[in-house]
Structures are given as C-alpha cells and as structure tokens.
C-alpha cells in the first residue's frame, strides 16, 4: 500500500526531482549493500545541520538559503517527505484563530502558488477555496470572529447562507446548517511534492541534502551546539535545527543536554474513494464540518475525508518508532463515527467504492499550537515541530520565521504564542503528554469559546493554599502548569451550571466577579498570586546593580526597600519581559515577573549575565507563596496583624519591607497590587503560607474580607488601563508606544539595552499607540462580548486590534485595550501616530462582524476611583502587570 501511496500522492517520481540533486544524495532504493554505490560522504563541518526532510526541514533549508546562508546540511533518516508529510491531506487553510498562525498560513499559500514556476517541480497546487460549515449559532459566531480577522488582513472571506453552500458544492446536505464561512483563496497541494520543490530550490542554492542518514546525538559544550553525530560520521556545526516531527521529542532527549520538546503522536485516519461516476471537479471547494468533526476534499475525482475523533489513539508513548511511517493498521470500528458524519453530510456517497482507510501518525502539542524557537538551555539548538495536523498550512510561514530567527536573532513577527519557551520542563512528562494529546485532538474541532480550560494534566503546580481555597468554592484555570483561581462560587450557587456555561455572550460568572470587584474597591480581598515568576539576583560587590542597570530600562539604583517597575527590553526597544524589581539590600534584588516568563526570562538573563562567580541568580518561584491584599481596608488588616503602622506616611507606595505577620516572620511586604487599587503584596516563605492566610482571613472578617480570583483582577487592571505582558505587551511593543516613557532612564546618561531604538522613537514618533476604548452602544446582557483580537476601526478604516478586554463594573461598560496604527490611505504604509490622530477619530470595535461605537482614551479614569493619594503615586502605580 505504501507504494501505491507514493504513486497517488506524488506525481513526481522521487528520483526525477532534480538530476544534480540526485547525484548529490544517495537515492538508491536497494537496501543490499553490494548494489549501493558509495554515497556522497558527509562534510566534516557546516554552519547549520537540519534534521528532518519533511515539509518543515525543507522549508527551513529553503528560507535559510534564500536569506544567504549557504553552508547547510539537511539530513533525513529515510527518504525526503516520507514521514507525516507524505500522508498529509494537503489542505492549505488560512481560517485560524491565532493571528500568528493565520499569517503563517497566508504566507504558505502565497509561497506554494509560485513554487512550481520557481523550481519546475509540479506541486499539484489548485486553488479550490474552502467552506467551513456551522450547525449551531455558537459555531457561526466563532466563524464570524475568524472572518473579521481574515478580512482586515486582506484575505477574501465571506459568511454565506446554506443555500450558497449548496451552489458552491452540490453534494453537500445543507438541511441542518445555519450558515458557513467561504474562503475562496484556500488551496490544495500535494504535500510531498511541495517538500521536494523546496528541497530542489534549496539544493540549487547550495544546501547539501543527505537521505538515509540518521542523527543519533547532538554534541553540546558550554551550553552551545558544537556538532552532531550520525550513523555516517560526525559533522561539526554552530546551529542544529530539530525538524524531526513526531521523533522531535526523542531526538531532543538524546543529546548531552536534554532539550524538552513537548509533543506526542496520535493516529490520524482518513479514507480515500474511487472516482465518482461523474468525477468531482478538481476546483471543488474543500469542506470542513467541525460540528461533524470531519473535513472533505476532492481527490482525483473521488473523495479524501478524515477527521478528529473524540477518542483518539496515542502512539509510541514508549518511544518505539520506525524510520518511515508505513501505513499503520486500518481500524474501521474506530473510524465509524467519522464515516457516519461523512455520509450524513454527503448522502450520495452511499454507493461509492472505498479504496482504503489511511492511518498515519500526527504530532500534537499540549496547547494545540506548534513549537518553534531556540532551546532555553542550549544556544544554537532550534526547533520546529508539533504541527497539530496543520503542517502543510504552516510549513512555508513557519520555515520563514525560524530562518529569520536564526539569521537576524529574531523573527519579523511576534511568535511568542508558538515559542518553545512557553513550556517548562513539567510539560515534558510522557504521561502528561499522552493524556493531554487525547484531549487536544478532539479539541481541534470543539467550539473554542473564550476562557476555556484544559481538563487533563491539571493540579500539577499548586499553591500550598490550594485545598483551603478549593473548599471555599474556588474555580480554577491553569497558566504555565500552575493552578490559579478564576473566581469563588458563593455557597448555594448551582455549581454544575457554572462549569457548563460556555458562551460568547454574558457569562454566568458575571455577578460573582462583580461582587469580588466591589469588595476590592470597598473593603478588602485576598488573591493567591503564587504563580508569579520570582528570581533573586545578588552579588558580592556592585556586579548585580551594574548588570541589571544595563539589562533593564528603568533606574534600579534606588534606596534599599524601594520597588521599581521596569521593562527588560530587546535591541529594538520591545518588551521581552515586564516586571517589578525590589532592592532588598545594596547587593541583592528580588524580581517578580508574569507566570509564563519563568523559562523565557531565565534564558534571556542567563544568556546575558556576565560569566562571573560573584554574581548569582536563583529561581525562587517555589519558595514563596504570594498573597495580594487589595482594597482600602488592607492597611487595617496588616497593621493589626503586624503591630506596625502601614499608612502611606510609614509605608509609602512602591515600598518593600520584611515584616512579621501573625507568628510568621521574614515576610516580604510590598505596597503594590498590580491593579492600581490600594493594598499590599505579601511574599510568604512557603511553610508559613497557611498560617498567614488563616490569620489574614480571621483578622479581616470584621472588615468584610473575602477571597477573589484573577477575573476580578483583570477587570480592575483593565479599567485602570494597565498593560500586561503576553497579552498587551510583547517583544514588538516599546515603552514609548504604551505611555511608559516615565519608566525609562533616557535622561540619566546610562547605557541600557534598547536605548538607541527608544531615542529614535522619542525623536521621530511612534507607529502605534496603546489606547483604551470604552464601548458606547453595547448592551452587556444581549450583545456579543469583546474578548481580545477584535478589529478596531477609526472613521471606518481598520487601524488595529484589541489585545485584552473586560467589563468595568465601575463604568458599567466594556473596556477594550488595543493598539492604534495609522495606515496611509493610498499606499497602506505606516505613519506616525500622534495624540491628535487618536483623539480626533470616531472609533468602532468589530465583534464577530458587528460594529460597536467606542470612545478612545489615552489616560485612565483613575482620578474618579483612586483614594486621595499623592499624584505621583497614582501615576507610578498606574502601570503594573499581572
């Protein structure tokens, strides 16, 4: 059957791809050593070694060679494109939820379109368009949200009626549909041939390709890649790229320094039929029926149809693997639900002859997004894998971003959602991966409503207070493997209802979060924020201060006991991290960063701290439980527990002091809350956590204390116009673009990373501005809610997208935060954004195709709510992060 497959899915014979390349590689089929000519020997050294000759490896090689890197060797353990790429369904689809994935797919589509002309290899590219069907109103809303994104990106797309579906694809049964989304530019390709075309172009540019060569080991010295060992000898290299697909995990673990690549293979099924009596037209649109869990495409006049079943079968958990994927076992019983869905959708197929059921492995990742980037532990070790069955859609774009990353040191877009460093070591347990992919694969088709959570692999990292909070009705979400409270269900509420409520409209937790917010504003609330990343950096002399002054943009030479909000910027002035740093003593600093910064920030600092034995950095995240006491009565609770005055005269804003609370001492108390409300953060040594929490709750009873969660925190910080890293801020956003000039030491004559870029922006102006929008004609009860990623229109023209949003219980309105750009009406080029440009526009926010009027503001309403504190404190506290 494998032989038939190559004939079917690949019009190009393997050897005919490119004569020059055939001479270079050993493409002989015969396995008997006597018949095989001596293959070209491997070079002794190269700049880059790429492992894996599927769509990813060939795309990286193609783009690196296009960018001028020539000294590249691509190694493939079997034959090119003989892994998952060979069995890929070949559908290039741009309908994606995540904006970076959408951009990758769009680039891939444009690349494949001209590849045949460039290389002379027939790629089978056919522009068919695609139709995504909706059987429910919620599904249609989800499609409308995607359509809004596609339209503003310039990708043609429309929401169509069931009747129009029947006109585009006469075989589709439309009786249960409420609508659909039509993307006319989507296409079909032969994925194996696209790989061959990319390899052909790369080899013409000087890339050496060696098949039947497997990598056994990556050599590392002093934390850098130095070479690879193969079954045909060693190659010294500076860069190694792991594009080994489903084998990427094991290859990552085979080196001297393990690289964790959290992915796991599952069986993926699709069937092929003989041609219909009247063969299907080659340009018939591809159909995706997510509610039926299937996709259907034309295949040589017949049908290719597969899907994502509810009970997937994980593969190779023990690491058993074969070189080239032979067709795994057919399993008709397993495929039956998908077959029924296909026959419901296309009843005329009953009489059709099925040729075969194909079963091939596909790699899935813990969060359904692919994995790319440089390893946090080994410099020069890059990864591109885990495509969650969208490999052909992402192949071109992913290869381009990774090549840019290697050549320039950073890609041209914000790829943080795909960065390998978003995972910690905890996501690399085989048991965790096996259980998680069994949940992920069905989720490929499930409706993604805002704020849904994974159910598997939970309760992995927890605060010592987990059981106490859980018993009080906590509802949990997970970030970076850490359990965090969303909100607390009051006694007597129907719990089941709340857990089932999944909607694009007003959620069931609306009133619960409202009462938590009210308590934060009027009394006092406790939020467990232990998941924050916490580092201690200290030195024997002034090394810590000198190094941090260079790596951070704000002035850290402050009196002991002061807390500084600062960015950790890259050379372009963008935020690699946004954090608070407390100066504990002359020579030691305590740094608090967002939860998902744990791996990224550590790697960033490790790579930039001088190699000095007098300078130490320790990750103390697990040593401290963090409690956030928010509200006007927090002062009273703490001063009673510590017998120390906590008023602003004695304990000013942005101050840090070690105190005893109750019986426990050594507690770091900081006068910040990350929300702009008054209050304190308590960093408690973990063994005292329960004691301090109980004391705070007991003492706070007379002040109306209650527990609160992160949803209340979000509402508070968004109405105060605070940007959070990872949602609003990223490596492409500078302090100048979000009104944080006062957090940068430009005037102090000190050198720091990103300084030149900021000085240039100060002189020439910025090309985007962080702006706050208050929705005007929006009905919270009946209209769709904004969540994030909604297009912003100014005077009817697209100017940017929202990055986060929340309902403000004080303003009784929705508040969206987002960036406004200024595109030239004729050329589309970006122009400088001025305060006048923002203030003089009429704004609308597009929620799933419906536009709502919004008022734009560059400053928060803080004066209305904050207690009369000194003006400079208000300004300072106006910019903190989750």
């Amino acid at each position: 059957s494998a032989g038939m497959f190559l004939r079917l899915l690949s019009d190009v014979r393997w050897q005919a791809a490119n004569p020059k390349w055939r001479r270079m590689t050993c493409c002989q089929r015969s396995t008997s050593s006597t018949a095989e000519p001596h293959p070209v020997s491997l070079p002794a050294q190269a700049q880059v070694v790429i492992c894996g000759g599927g769509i990813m490896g060939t795309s990286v090689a193609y783009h690196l060679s296009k960018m001028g890197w020539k000294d590249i060797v691509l190694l493939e353990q079997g034959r090119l494109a003989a892994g998952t790429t060979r069995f890929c369904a070949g559908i290039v689809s741009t309908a994606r939820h995540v904006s970076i994935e959408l951009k990758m797919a769009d680039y891939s589509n444009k690349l494949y379109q001209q590849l045949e002309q460039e290389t002379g290899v027939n790629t089978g590219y056919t522009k068919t368009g695609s139709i995504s069907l909706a059987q429910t109103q919620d599904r249609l809303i989800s499609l409308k949200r995607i359509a809004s994104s596609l339209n503003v990106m310039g990708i043609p797309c429309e929401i169509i009626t069931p009747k129009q579906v029947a006109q585009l694809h006469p075989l589709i049964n439309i009786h249960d549909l409420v609508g659909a989304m039509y993307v006319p530019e989507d296409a079909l390709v032969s994925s194996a041939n696209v790989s061959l075309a990319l390899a052909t172009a790369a080899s013409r540019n000087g890339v050496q390709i060696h098949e039947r060569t497997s990598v056994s080991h990556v050599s590392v010295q002093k934390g850098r890649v130095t070479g690879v060992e193969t079954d045909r000898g060693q190659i010294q290299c500076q860069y190694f790229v792991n594009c080994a697909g489903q084998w990427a995990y094991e290859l990552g673990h085979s080196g001297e320094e393990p690289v964790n690549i959290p992915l796991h293979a599952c069986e993926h099924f699709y069937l092929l039929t003989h041609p219909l009596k009247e063969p299907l037209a080659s340009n018939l649109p591809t159909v995706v029926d997510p509610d039926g869990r299937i996709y259907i495409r034309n295949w040589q006049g017949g049908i290719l149809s597969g899907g994502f079943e509810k009970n997937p079968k994980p593969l190779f958990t023990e690491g058993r693997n074969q070189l080239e994927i032979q067709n795994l076992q057919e399993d008709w019983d397993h495929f039956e639900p998908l077959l029924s869905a296909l026959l419901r959708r296309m009843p005329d197929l009953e009489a059709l002859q099925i040729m075969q059921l194909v079963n091939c492995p596909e790699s899935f990742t813990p969060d359904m997004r692919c994995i790319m980037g440089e390893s946090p532990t080994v410099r020069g070790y890059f990864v591109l894998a885990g495509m969650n069955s969208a490999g052909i859609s992402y192949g071109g774009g992913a290869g381009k971003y990774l090549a840019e990353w290697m050549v320039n040191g950073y890609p041209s877009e914000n790829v943080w959602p795909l960065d390998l460093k978003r995972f910690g070591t905890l996501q690399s347990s085989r048991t965790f991966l096996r259980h998680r992919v069994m949940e992920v694969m069905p989720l490929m088709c499930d409706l993604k409503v805002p704020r849904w959570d994974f159910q598997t692999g939970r309760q992995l990292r927890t605060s010592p207070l987990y059981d106490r909070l859980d018993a009080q009705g906590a509802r949990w979400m997970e970030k970076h493997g850490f359990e965090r409270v969303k909100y607390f269900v009051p006694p007597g509420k129907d719990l089941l209802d709340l857990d089932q409520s999944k909607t694009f409209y007003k959620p069931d937790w609306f009133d619960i979060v409202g009462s938590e917010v009210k308590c934060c504003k009027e009394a006092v609330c406790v939020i467990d924020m232990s998941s924050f990343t916490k580092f201690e950096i200290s030195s024997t002399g002034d090394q810590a201060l000198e190094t941090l002054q260079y790596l951070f943009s704000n002035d850290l030479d402050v009196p002991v006991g002061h807390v500084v909000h600062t960015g950790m910027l890259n050379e372009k002035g963008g935020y690699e991290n946004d954090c608070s740093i407390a100066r504990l003593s002359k020579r030691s600093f305590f740094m608090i960063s967002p939860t998902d910064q744990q791996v990224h920030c550590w790697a960033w600092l490790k790579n930039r701290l001088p190699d000095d034995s007098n300078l130490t950095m320790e990750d103390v995240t697990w040593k401290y439980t963090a409690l956030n006491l928010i509200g006007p009565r927090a002062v009273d609770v703490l001063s009673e527990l510590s017998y120390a005055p906590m008023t602003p005269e004695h304990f000013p804003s942005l101050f840090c002091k070690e105190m005893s609370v109750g019986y426990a001492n050594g507690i770091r108390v900081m006068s910040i809350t990350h929300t702009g409300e008054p209050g304190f953060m308590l960093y408690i040594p973990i063994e005292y956590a329960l004691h301090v929490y109980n004391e705070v709750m007991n003492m706070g009873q007379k002040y109306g204390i209650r527990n609160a969660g992160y949803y209340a925190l979000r509402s508070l910080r968004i109405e105060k116009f605070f940007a959070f890293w990872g949602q609003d801020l990223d490596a492409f956003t500078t302090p100048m673009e979000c009104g944080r000039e006062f957090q940068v030491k430009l005037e102090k004559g000190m050198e720091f990373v990103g300084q030149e870029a900021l000085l240039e922006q100060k002189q020439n102006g910025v090309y985007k501005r962080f702006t706050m929008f208050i929705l005007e004609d929006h009905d919270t009860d009946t209209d769709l809610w904004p969540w994030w990623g909604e297009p912003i229109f100014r005077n009817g023209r697209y100017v940017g997208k929202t990055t986060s949003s929340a309902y403000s219980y004080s303003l009784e309105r929705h508040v969206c935060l987002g960036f406004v750009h200024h595109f030239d009406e004729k050329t589309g080029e970006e122009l400088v954004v001025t305060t006048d440009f923002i203030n003089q526009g009429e704004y609308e926010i597009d929620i799933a195709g419906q536009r709502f009027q919004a008022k734009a503001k560059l400053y928060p309403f803080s004066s209305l709510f904050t207690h009369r504190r000194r003006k400079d404190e208000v300004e300072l506290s106006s910019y903190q992060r989750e």
Side-chain angles (χ1 to χ4, degrees):
S1 73
M4 180 181 82
F5 242 84
L6 289 179
R7 202 160 62 250
L8 300 172
L9 282 184
S10 185
D11 305 323
V12 181
R13 297 310 297 146
W14 294 95
Q15 288 102 329
N18 176 352
K20 169 184 158 204
W21 177 42
R22 194 170 72 239
R23 286 197 304 277
M24 245 176 54
T25 60
C26 53
C27 245
Q28 297 297 318
R29 285 304 155 75
S30 161
T31 47
S32 73
S33 53
T34 50
E36 214 171 278
H38 288 293
V40 179
S41 60
L42 296 181
Q45 61 189 68
Q47 186 182 6
V48 183
V49 173
I50 299 171
C51 173
I55 182 73
M56 292 301 146
T58 53
S59 177
V60 172
Y62 170 88
H63 286 97
L64 281 174
S65 67
K66 274 269 197 262
M67 292 180 77
W69 282 21
K70 304 291 189 211
D71 184 13
I72 299 170
V73 177
L74 188 152
L75 306 176
E76 161 55 50
Q77 59 180 358
R79 291 190 308 255
L80 279 183
T84 300
T85 303
R86 179 173 108 201
F87 290 105
C88 173
I91 300 168
V92 182
S93 151
T94 47
R96 307 282 165 193
H97 285 279
V98 183
S99 130
I100 184 70
E101 295 181 337
L102 197 155
K103 287 174 181 164
M104 289 197 306
D106 185 43
Y107 173 83
S108 300
N109 195 351
K110 294 183 168 80
L111 171 71
Y112 303 157
Q113 206 167 339
Q114 51 85 39
L115 204 54
E116 191 165 331
Q117 194 182 347
E118 182 188 337
T119 60
V121 176
N122 169 16
T123 56
Y125 183 92
T126 318
K127 191 166 283 186
T128 59
S130 73
I131 307 171
S132 301
L133 309 178
Q135 294 181 26
T136 64
Q137 285 301 334
D138 267 355
R139 177 70 69 182
L140 192 58
I141 291 165
S142 171
L143 293 177
K144 284 176 175 171
R145 286 179 65 90
I146 294 176
S148 294
S149 291
L150 288 171
N151 282 323
V152 296
M153 299 261 309
I155 300 169
C157 164
E158 55 182 319
I159 297 292
I160 58 175
T161 62
K163 275 204 178 96
Q164 289 169 294
V165 173
Q167 286 160 7
L168 287 165
H169 201 308
L171 293 177
I172 293 289
N173 167 15
I174 60 169
H175 78 275
D176 57 349
L177 301 181
V178 294
M181 177 174 74
Y182 177 48
V183 185
E185 307 269 301
D186 281 355
L188 293 177
V189 292
S190 154
S191 37
N193 294 9
V194 168
S195 266
L196 288 177
L198 291 168
T200 302
S203 85
R204 283 181 194 155
N205 279 336
V207 174
Q208 297 186 48
I209 297 175
H210 295 267
E211 296 181 302
R212 304 217 175 278
T213 308
S214 52
V215 174
S216 54
H217 185 79
V218 179
S219 312
V220 177
Q221 275 175 7
K222 291 187 179 165
R224 281 204 82 94
V225 168
T226 55
V228 295
E229 289 186 29
T230 74
D231 54 357
R232 294 174 49 205
Q234 287 183 325
I235 308 178
Q236 289 182 334
C237 64
Q238 294 156 277
Y239 296 94
F240 176 72
V241 189
N242 180 340
C243 296
Q246 56 167 333
W247 295 290
Y249 175 93
E250 280 163 82
L251 180 59
H253 276 263
S254 68
E256 293 159 16
E257 177 82 41
V259 173
N260 289 309
I261 304 167
L263 54 80
H264 197 296
C266 273
E267 295 185 18
H268 178 60
F269 294 89
Y270 60 79
L271 59 79
L272 299 168
T273 73
H274 290 286
L276 279 72
K277 284 202 181 65
E278 280 181 36
L280 292 179
S282 63
N283 61 353
L284 202 64
T286 299
V287 175
V288 181
D289 180 3
D291 298 307
R293 307 189 155 274
I294 52 169
Y295 56 83
I296 308 163
R297 60 158 282 196
N298 157 59
W299 184 71
Q300 303 193 352
I303 291 271
L304 181 160
S305 174
F308 299 97
E309 62 276 20
K310 283 184 171 171
N311 53 336
K313 298 164 74 174
L315 272 174
F316 309 141
T317 304
E318 304 78 28
R320 188 174 53 82
N321 65 31
Q322 54 271 59
L323 287 185
E324 283 167 30
I325 302 159
Q326 299 311 326
N327 199 0
L328 299 159
Q329 300 300 307
E330 289 192 354
D331 186 340
W332 281 103
D333 292 342
H334 191 75
F335 191 71
E336 198 279 325
L338 300 178
L339 181 59
S340 321
L342 171 65
L343 295 175
R344 272 199 306 280
R345 192 52 60 219
M346 297 178 81
D348 299 0
L349 296 187
E350 289 281 9
L352 204 61
Q353 272 191 306
I354 289 171
M355 190 143 62
Q356 98 184 91
L357 182 64
V358 181
N359 170 0
C360 69
E362 268 289 356
S363 307
F364 294 89
T365 62
D367 61 0
M368 292 189 289
R369 299 197 298 265
C370 74
I371 295 174
M372 69 159 68
E374 190 174 14
S375 154
T377 48
V378 182
R379 304 291 306 272
Y381 191 121
F382 284 83
V383 178
L384 185 54
M387 292 294 143
N388 300 287
S389 83
I392 198 70
S393 295
Y394 298 153
K400 169 178 171 253
Y401 290 141
L402 195 78
E404 290 172 345
W405 202 329
M406 294 171 68
V407 175
N408 303 329
Y410 47 84
S412 56
E413 294 280 348
N414 172 34
V415 295
W416 170 248
L418 314 176
D419 192 327
L420 170 64
K421 292 187 276 296
R422 71 186 185 272
F423 295 118
T425 46
L426 55 134
Q427 280 98 346
S428 64
S429 130
R430 278 318 253 175
T431 313
F432 165 78
L433 289 171
R434 183 182 173 90
H435 290 175
R436 176 56 67 84
V437 295
M438 289 170 76
E439 178 183 17
V440 158
M441 194 166 156
L443 275 171
M444 303 296 290
C445 289
D446 286 353
L447 194 62
K448 317 249 188 332
V449 294
R451 317 253 178 269
W452 54 273
D453 300 290
F454 289 107
Q455 302 302 308
T456 52
R458 294 292 296 270
Q459 296 179 23
L460 193 55
R461 299 172 72 197
T462 57
S463 147
L465 305 176
Y466 181 87
D467 288 344
R468 284 281 281 121
L469 301 177
D470 199 53
Q472 295 175 74
R475 285 288 166 271
W476 301 92
M477 60 182 178
E478 163 259 343
K479 177 108 175 245
H480 205 69
F482 213 114
E483 296 293 331
R484 316 202 302 187
V485 183
K486 296 193 274 198
Y487 49 79
F488 286 82
V489 180
K493 264 274 189 194
D494 186 351
L495 305 187
L496 267 173
D497 257 19
L498 261 172
D499 293 340
Q500 300 310 314
S501 74
K502 305 234 185 307
T503 175
F504 290 102
Y505 291 91
K506 177 180 171 179
D508 287 356
W509 44 255
F510 180 80
D511 294 330
I512 295 177
V513 173
S515 56
E516 289 180 12
V517 166
K518 187 171 189 288
C519 185
C520 287
K521 287 186 178 298
E522 295 172 4
V524 56
C525 275
V526 181
I527 305 182
D528 182 340
M529 295 176 71
S530 306
S531 65
F532 270 165
T533 298
K534 303 174 271 286
F535 294 167
E536 275 175 24
I537 300 160
S538 55
S539 58
T540 51
D542 292 337
Q543 300 94 331
L545 178 64
E546 285 165 14
T547 309
L548 295 183
Q549 284 287 49
Y550 177 66
L551 292 176
F552 291 87
S553 57
N554 207 346
D555 187 3
L556 294 173
D557 195 0
V558 292
V560 170
H562 282 246
V563 181
V564 178
H565 288 136
T566 177
M568 179 171 89
L569 309 182
N570 54 34
E571 281 68 21
K572 303 193 300 297
Y575 280 100
E576 288 295 330
N577 182 7
D578 173 39
C579 55
S580 305
I581 298 184
R583 190 165 190 182
L584 299 177
S585 72
K586 280 268 188 243
R587 302 190 173 122
S588 68
F589 296 84
F590 184 49
M591 171 179 170
I592 295 132
S593 312
T595 305
D596 50 3
Q597 275 279 5
Q598 194 168 13
V599 177
H600 173 253
C601 178
W602 180 266
W604 178 270
L605 288 172
K606 233 4 186 189
N607 291 338
R608 285 163 183 77
L609 289 175
D611 205 4
D612 181 345
S613 56
N614 295 318
L615 183 67
T616 56
M617 174 167 77
E618 187 189 357
D619 184 343
V620 294
T621 301
W622 60 275
K623 285 189 179 179
Y624 292 95
T625 299
L627 290 183
N628 194 350
L629 257 64
I630 303 181
R633 307 313 297 261
V635 175
D636 305 313
V637 175
L638 262 190
S639 53
E640 286 200 42
L641 278 175
S642 58
Y643 289 98
M646 301 296 290
T647 52
E649 297 77 66
H650 298 95
F651 207 112
S653 181
L654 293 176
F655 197 64
C656 169
K657 193 169 162 188
E658 282 212 352
M659 306 175 49
S660 51
V661 176
Y663 299 155
N665 53 14
I667 288 159
R668 291 175 186 171
V669 178
M670 295 189 197
S671 44
I672 50 175
T673 61
H674 308 289
T675 59
E677 301 297 329
F680 302 90
M681 284 291 301
L682 275 55
Y683 288 92
I684 308 160
I686 210 153
E687 64 266 37
Y688 300 145
L690 213 54
H691 169 74
V692 172
Y693 173 78
N694 291 337
E695 291 286 300
V696 166
M697 292 309 277
N698 292 337
M699 184 60 77
Q701 276 194 323
K702 59 183 176 196
Y703 300 110
I705 197 164
R706 63 182 286 173
N707 291 299
Y710 272 83
Y711 283 9
L713 190 86
R714 178 188 290 118
S715 171
L716 290 167
R717 71 95 181 172
I718 286 178
E719 73 180 19
K720 287 290 183 357
F721 199 14
F722 290 9
F724 278 10
W725 191 88
Q727 292 169 36
D728 312 302
L729 305 179
D730 58 41
F732 287 79
T733 310
T734 73
M736 302 301 187
E737 293 162 351
C738 55
R740 294 184 171 191
E741 297 86 344
F742 65 89
Q743 280 190 19
V744 180
K745 52 189 173 201
L746 282 178
E747 311 302 323
K748 301 230 174 163
M750 278 181 264
E751 204 184 327
F752 62 90
V753 180
Q755 185 176 14
E756 282 172 30
L758 298 188
L759 286 169
E760 192 181 321
Q761 278 195 333
K762 191 172 182 179
Q763 199 174 343
N764 304 336
V766 295
Y767 290 93
K768 62 179 182 185
R769 253 326 262 280
F770 193 50
T771 311
M772 174 176 185
F773 296 95
I774 290 104
L775 291 190
E776 298 278 284
D777 55 348
H778 182 272
D779 184 325
T780 310
D781 293 323
T782 57
D783 285 328
L784 284 170
W785 273 32
W787 297 95
W788 64 86
E790 289 85 14
I792 303 164
F793 290 86
R794 177 188 181 273
N795 299 349
R797 297 178 61 83
Y798 170 69
V799 288
K801 283 187 171 179
T802 63
T803 49
S804 56
S805 67
Y807 181 79
S808 160
Y809 293 89
S810 312
L811 300 171
E812 297 185 346
R813 288 262 191 290
H814 258 98
V815 177
C816 301
L817 309 182
F819 285 93
V820 172
H821 301 252
H822 183 182
F823 301 110
D824 184 284
E825 297 202 10
K826 293 188 179 62
T827 62
E829 74 168 312
E830 293 207 40
L831 305 172
V832 168
V833 178
T834 60
T835 310
D836 285 350
F837 177 79
I838 298 225
N839 290 337
Q840 289 164 10
E842 296 281 317
Y843 291 90
E844 293 171 304
I845 307 280
D846 173 323
I847 306 177
Q850 189 181 352
R851 292 190 192 179
F852 295 92
Q853 287 175 343
K855 189 189 279 159
K857 293 182 67 67
L858 285 168
Y859 300 98
F861 290 93
S862 54
S863 52
L864 302 181
F865 313 119
T866 29
H867 294 261
R868 289 185 296 281
R869 285 186 289 162
R870 295 207 308 277
K871 181 170 173 292
D872 58 344
E873 284 175 26
V874 173
E875 281 178 8
L876 270 172
S877 66
S878 286
Y879 292 97
Q880 302 164 356
R881 29 133 263 316
E882 192 167 35

